Amino acid sequence: MKKLLTLFCLMLGLSSTQVLAAADNPVELIKDGSRQVLDILKQDNGKNTKQVRQQAEAVAVPLFDFPRMTALAVGLGWRQASPDQRNELTQQFQTLLVRTYSTTMTRFKTAQVNVQPNPVPGANGKDVTVKSSVTLPGNANPVAVDYVLNKGDKGWKIYNVSVEGASLVTVYRNSFNEEIRKNGVDGLIKLLQDKNAGPASAAAAAKGKG
């Protein structure tokens, strides 16, 4: 989960201005976004960390397809959910991800990102996987990172990330499915609400369960 954490930290700080201009090119979206997030994180001086995080969160959220991410993370339980339950699940999962990962993003402001130029098309013709490698501070070995994007009416949006083959949505799906089996969709909603209502440390603990 540490590597997944690092990836999401990087992607949560995307700056929307130039990235949205690259929305029709998934490689440029990732490349420009990675460069801009590092610029944002470098503004952190130890006294403005909260402001840097808030800036990153505000510009990043529109670049992710959270409903699609949530549907994948919930898995079969998504079919059981009503429209209202799906909306609540999406909102709570989005909040959980932002709270869990944004709190530590400034640790990775010196990371180096190398984005491969040729995306791998998906079987449905609407998805692509953009491959990259991330070199973290104090670690000479690059981490393989795959960004999965879908093209909709508003261009490309990220809906999953994998680090060294470990998928973010799959990691969460395991614990989500278990909760649904025990307590139903409402039980999962309550679990997410409780995590999000607690201190940031409680949200951070979710990565351990995921």
Side-chain angles (χ1 to χ4, degrees):
M1 282 303 299
K2 181 178 180 181
K3 292 178 179 178
L4 283 171
L5 170 68
T6 302
L7 166 69
F8 209 74
C9 287
L10 290 174
M11 296 312 299
L12 272 175
L14 297 176
S15 178
S16 60
T17 305
Q18 294 183 22
V19 172
L20 289 178
D24 285 335
N25 186 321
V27 172
E28 291 304 313
L29 184 80
I30 300 301
K31 187 181 296 184
D32 290 351
S34 299
R35 181 168 58 247
Q36 290 181 60
V37 62
L38 294 177
D39 289 342
I40 292 173
L41 297 183
K42 288 173 183 176
Q43 298 173 18
D44 177 59
N45 57 18
K47 299 180 180 180
N48 64 347
T49 302
K50 183 177 180 180
Q51 290 76 12
V52 168
R53 282 205 314 265
Q54 290 175 339
Q55 178 188 6
E57 293 170 16
V59 299
V61 166
L63 300 177
F64 287 85
D65 188 343
F66 282 105
R68 183 181 290 267
M69 290 180 73
T70 307
L72 288 173
V74 173
L76 294 177
W78 188 255
R79 299 179 183 177
Q80 306 170 18
S82 68
D84 287 344
Q85 287 175 321
R86 290 180 179 184
N87 288 337
E88 185 65 18
L89 283 168
T90 299
Q91 183 58 53
Q92 294 300 327
F93 188 45
Q94 174 180 323
T95 301
L96 178 69
L97 289 175
V98 172
R99 291 189 69 198
T100 300
Y101 297 112
S102 68
T103 54
T104 56
M105 66 170 67
T106 54
R107 298 179 186 177
F108 308 105
K109 58 187 177 183
T110 60
Q112 301 294 317
V113 181
N114 180 33
V115 182
Q116 296 183 16
N118 299 315
V120 179
N124 61 7
K126 294 183 178 180
D127 293 358
V128 298
T129 298
V130 176
K131 294 181 176 293
S132 73
S133 60
V134 178
T135 303
L136 305 176
N139 189 347
N141 297 318
V143 177
V145 177
D146 293 346
Y147 305 83
V148 187
L149 303 92
N150 177 269
K151 188 173 185 180
D153 295 337
K154 297 181 180 180
W156 294 98
K157 287 198 174 188
I158 303 161
Y159 73 87
N160 194 12
V161 292
S162 295
V163 179
E164 299 290 347
S167 162
L168 179 72
V169 296
T170 300
V171 167
Y172 276 101
R173 184 187 301 151
N174 295 332
S175 60
F176 286 2
N177 284 348
E178 180 180 356
E179 182 63 29
I180 290 175
R181 283 194 298 270
K182 291 179 178 179
N183 301 305
V185 174
D186 284 336
L188 177 57
I189 292 174
K190 179 66 163 55
L191 177 68
L192 293 173
Q193 289 173 337
D194 289 346
K195 289 182 180 296
N196 291 331
S201 58
K207 67 184 179 68
K209 294 187 67 175

Short mmCIF file of all heavy atoms in Angstrom, two decimals, residues 111-140:
data_model
loop_
_atom_site.label_atom_id
_atom_site.label_comp_id
_atom_site.label_asym_id
_atom_site.label_seq_id
_atom_site.Cartn_x
_atom_site.Cartn_y
_atom_site.Cartn_z
N ALA A 111 10.28 13.50 -6.09
CA ALA A 111 10.17 12.30 -6.93
C ALA A 111 10.41 12.65 -8.40
O ALA A 111 10.14 13.76 -8.85
CB ALA A 111 8.78 11.68 -6.76
N GLN A 112 10.92 11.67 -9.14
CA GLN A 112 11.14 11.82 -10.58
C GLN A 112 10.16 10.91 -11.32
O GLN A 112 10.06 9.73 -11.01
CB GLN A 112 12.58 11.45 -10.94
CG GLN A 112 13.64 12.30 -10.23
CD GLN A 112 13.60 13.75 -10.65
OE1 GLN A 112 13.47 14.06 -11.84
NE2 GLN A 112 13.71 14.65 -9.68
N VAL A 113 9.47 11.47 -12.31
CA VAL A 113 8.45 10.72 -13.04
C VAL A 113 8.83 10.63 -14.51
O VAL A 113 9.13 11.64 -15.15
CB VAL A 113 7.07 11.38 -12.90
CG1 VAL A 113 6.01 10.58 -13.66
CG2 VAL A 113 6.68 11.53 -11.44
N ASN A 114 8.83 9.41 -15.04
CA ASN A 114 9.13 9.18 -16.45
C ASN A 114 7.92 8.50 -17.09
O ASN A 114 7.59 7.36 -16.77
CB ASN A 114 10.37 8.30 -16.60
CG ASN A 114 10.72 8.04 -18.06
OD1 ASN A 114 10.49 8.88 -18.92
ND2 ASN A 114 11.26 6.87 -18.34
N VAL A 115 7.24 9.21 -18.00
CA VAL A 115 6.03 8.71 -18.64
C VAL A 115 6.37 8.15 -20.02
O VAL A 115 6.99 8.83 -20.84
CB VAL A 115 4.97 9.82 -18.77
CG1 VAL A 115 3.69 9.28 -19.40
CG2 VAL A 115 4.67 10.42 -17.40
N GLN A 116 5.95 6.91 -20.28
CA GLN A 116 6.22 6.30 -21.58
C GLN A 116 5.31 6.91 -22.64
O GLN A 116 4.14 7.21 -22.37
CB GLN A 116 6.01 4.79 -21.51
CG GLN A 116 6.99 4.10 -20.57
CD GLN A 116 6.83 2.59 -20.56
OE1 GLN A 116 6.20 2.02 -21.45
NE2 GLN A 116 7.39 1.94 -19.56
N PRO A 117 5.80 7.10 -23.86
CA PRO A 117 5.06 7.85 -24.88
C PRO A 117 3.91 7.11 -25.54
O PRO A 117 3.04 7.75 -26.12
CB PRO A 117 6.15 8.17 -25.91
CG PRO A 117 7.15 7.06 -25.77
CD PRO A 117 7.16 6.72 -24.31
N ASN A 118 3.88 5.78 -25.48
CA ASN A 118 2.87 5.03 -26.22
C ASN A 118 1.87 4.37 -25.28
O ASN A 118 2.20 3.37 -24.63
CB ASN A 118 3.53 3.97 -27.10
CG ASN A 118 4.48 4.57 -28.11
OD1 ASN A 118 4.15 5.55 -28.77
ND2 ASN A 118 5.67 4.00 -28.23
N PRO A 119 0.63 4.89 -25.22
CA PRO A 119 -0.37 4.26 -24.36
C PRO A 119 -0.82 2.92 -24.91
O PRO A 119 -0.79 2.69 -26.12
CB PRO A 119 -1.52 5.27 -24.36
CG PRO A 119 -1.37 6.00 -25.66
CD PRO A 119 0.11 6.06 -25.93
N VAL A 120 -1.25 2.04 -24.03
CA VAL A 120 -1.73 0.72 -24.43
C VAL A 120 -3.26 0.77 -24.51
O VAL A 120 -3.92 1.02 -23.50
CB VAL A 120 -1.30 -0.35 -23.41
CG1 VAL A 120 -1.82 -1.72 -23.84
CG2 VAL A 120 0.22 -0.36 -23.27
N PRO A 121 -3.83 0.57 -25.70
CA PRO A 121 -5.29 0.66 -25.82
C PRO A 121 -6.00 -0.51 -25.15
O PRO A 121 -5.50 -1.63 -25.14
CB PRO A 121 -5.51 0.66 -27.34
CG PRO A 121 -4.32 -0.06 -27.89
CD PRO A 121 -3.18 0.27 -26.99
N GLY A 122 -7.18 -0.23 -24.61
CA GLY A 122 -8.00 -1.27 -24.02
C GLY A 122 -8.83 -1.97 -25.07
O GLY A 122 -8.97 -1.50 -26.20
N ALA A 123 -9.40 -3.09 -24.70
CA ALA A 123 -10.15 -3.89 -25.65
C ALA A 123 -11.42 -3.20 -26.12
O ALA A 123 -11.88 -3.43 -27.24
CB ALA A 123 -10.52 -5.24 -25.01
N ASN A 124 -11.98 -2.30 -25.30
CA ASN A 124 -13.24 -1.65 -25.67
C ASN A 124 -13.05 -0.42 -26.55
O ASN A 124 -14.03 0.18 -26.99
CB ASN A 124 -14.03 -1.27 -24.42
CG ASN A 124 -13.28 -0.28 -23.54
OD1 ASN A 124 -12.23 0.24 -23.91
ND2 ASN A 124 -13.81 -0.02 -22.36
N GLY A 125 -11.80 -0.02 -26.79
CA GLY A 125 -11.54 1.12 -27.64
C GLY A 125 -11.70 2.46 -26.96
O GLY A 125 -11.41 3.50 -27.56
N LYS A 126 -12.15 2.47 -25.71
CA LYS A 126 -12.35 3.73 -24.99
C LYS A 126 -11.37 3.92 -23.85
O LYS A 126 -11.24 5.02 -23.34
CB LYS A 126 -13.78 3.80 -24.44
CG LYS A 126 -14.86 3.85 -25.52
CD LYS A 126 -16.23 3.99 -24.89
CE LYS A 126 -17.31 4.09 -25.98
NZ LYS A 126 -18.67 4.23 -25.39
N ASP A 127 -10.72 2.85 -23.44
CA ASP A 127 -9.76 2.91 -22.34
C ASP A 127 -8.33 2.84 -22.87
O ASP A 127 -8.08 2.24 -23.91
CB ASP A 127 -9.95 1.75 -21.37
CG ASP A 127 -11.27 1.82 -20.63
OD1 ASP A 127 -12.01 2.80 -20.84
OD2 ASP A 127 -11.56 0.89 -19.86
N VAL A 128 -7.42 3.45 -22.14
CA VAL A 128 -5.99 3.28 -22.42
C VAL A 128 -5.26 3.17 -21.09
O VAL A 128 -5.74 3.64 -20.05
CB VAL A 128 -5.39 4.45 -23.24
CG1 VAL A 128 -6.03 4.56 -24.61
CG2 VAL A 128 -5.48 5.75 -22.48
N THR A 129 -4.11 2.55 -21.14
CA THR A 129 -3.22 2.49 -19.98
C THR A 129 -1.94 3.24 -20.32
O THR A 129 -1.28 2.94 -21.32
CB THR A 129 -2.88 1.04 -19.60
OG1 THR A 129 -4.08 0.35 -19.25
CG2 THR A 129 -1.92 0.99 -18.43
N VAL A 130 -1.63 4.25 -19.53
CA VAL A 130 -0.40 5.01 -19.70
C VAL A 130 0.59 4.50 -18.66
O VAL A 130 0.32 4.54 -17.46
CB VAL A 130 -0.65 6.51 -19.52
CG1 VAL A 130 0.68 7.28 -19.59
CG2 VAL A 130 -1.62 7.02 -20.57
N LYS A 131 1.71 4.01 -19.15
CA LYS A 131 2.72 3.43 -18.26
C LYS A 131 3.78 4.47 -17.91
O LYS A 131 4.14 5.31 -18.73
CB LYS A 131 3.37 2.22 -18.93
CG LYS A 131 2.39 1.05 -19.13
CD LYS A 131 3.08 -0.14 -19.77
CE LYS A 131 2.13 -1.32 -19.87
NZ LYS A 131 1.76 -1.86 -18.55
N SER A 132 4.27 4.39 -16.69
CA SER A 132 5.31 5.31 -16.25
C SER A 132 6.14 4.64 -15.17
O SER A 132 5.83 3.55 -14.69
CB SER A 132 4.69 6.61 -15.71
OG SER A 132 4.09 6.38 -14.45
N SER A 133 7.20 5.31 -14.80
CA SER A 133 8.01 4.87 -13.67
C SER A 133 8.27 6.07 -12.77
O SER A 133 8.47 7.19 -13.26
CB SER A 133 9.34 4.25 -14.14
OG SER A 133 10.10 5.18 -14.88
N VAL A 134 8.24 5.82 -11.48
CA VAL A 134 8.44 6.89 -10.49
C VAL A 134 9.62 6.51 -9.62
O VAL A 134 9.65 5.43 -9.01
CB VAL A 134 7.18 7.09 -9.63
CG1 VAL A 134 7.42 8.17 -8.58
CG2 VAL A 134 5.98 7.43 -10.50
N THR A 135 10.59 7.40 -9.56
CA THR A 135 11.75 7.20 -8.68
C THR A 135 11.56 8.06 -7.44
O THR A 135 11.43 9.28 -7.54
CB THR A 135 13.06 7.58 -9.40
OG1 THR A 135 13.19 6.82 -10.61
CG2 THR A 135 14.26 7.31 -8.50
N LEU A 136 11.51 7.41 -6.30
CA LEU A 136 11.22 8.09 -5.05
C LEU A 136 12.50 8.51 -4.33
O LEU A 136 13.56 7.92 -4.54
CB LEU A 136 10.40 7.17 -4.14
CG LEU A 136 9.12 6.61 -4.75
CD1 LEU A 136 8.46 5.63 -3.78
CD2 LEU A 136 8.17 7.73 -5.09
N PRO A 137 12.39 9.52 -3.48
CA PRO A 137 13.57 9.95 -2.71
C PRO A 137 14.14 8.81 -1.89
O PRO A 137 13.41 8.09 -1.22
CB PRO A 137 12.99 11.05 -1.80
CG PRO A 137 11.76 11.53 -2.50
CD PRO A 137 11.20 10.33 -3.21
N GLY A 138 15.45 8.63 -2.00
CA GLY A 138 16.13 7.60 -1.22
C GLY A 138 15.97 6.20 -1.75
O GLY A 138 16.39 5.24 -1.11
N ASN A 139 15.38 6.05 -2.93
CA ASN A 139 15.18 4.72 -3.52
C ASN A 139 15.62 4.76 -4.98
O ASN A 139 14.99 5.42 -5.81
CB ASN A 139 13.71 4.31 -3.43
CG ASN A 139 13.50 2.87 -3.84
OD1 ASN A 139 14.38 2.23 -4.41
ND2 ASN A 139 12.32 2.34 -3.55
N ALA A 140 16.70 4.08 -5.29
CA ALA A 140 17.25 4.12 -6.64
C ALA A 140 16.44 3.31 -7.64
O ALA A 140 16.57 3.48 -8.85
CB ALA A 140 18.70 3.63 -6.63
#
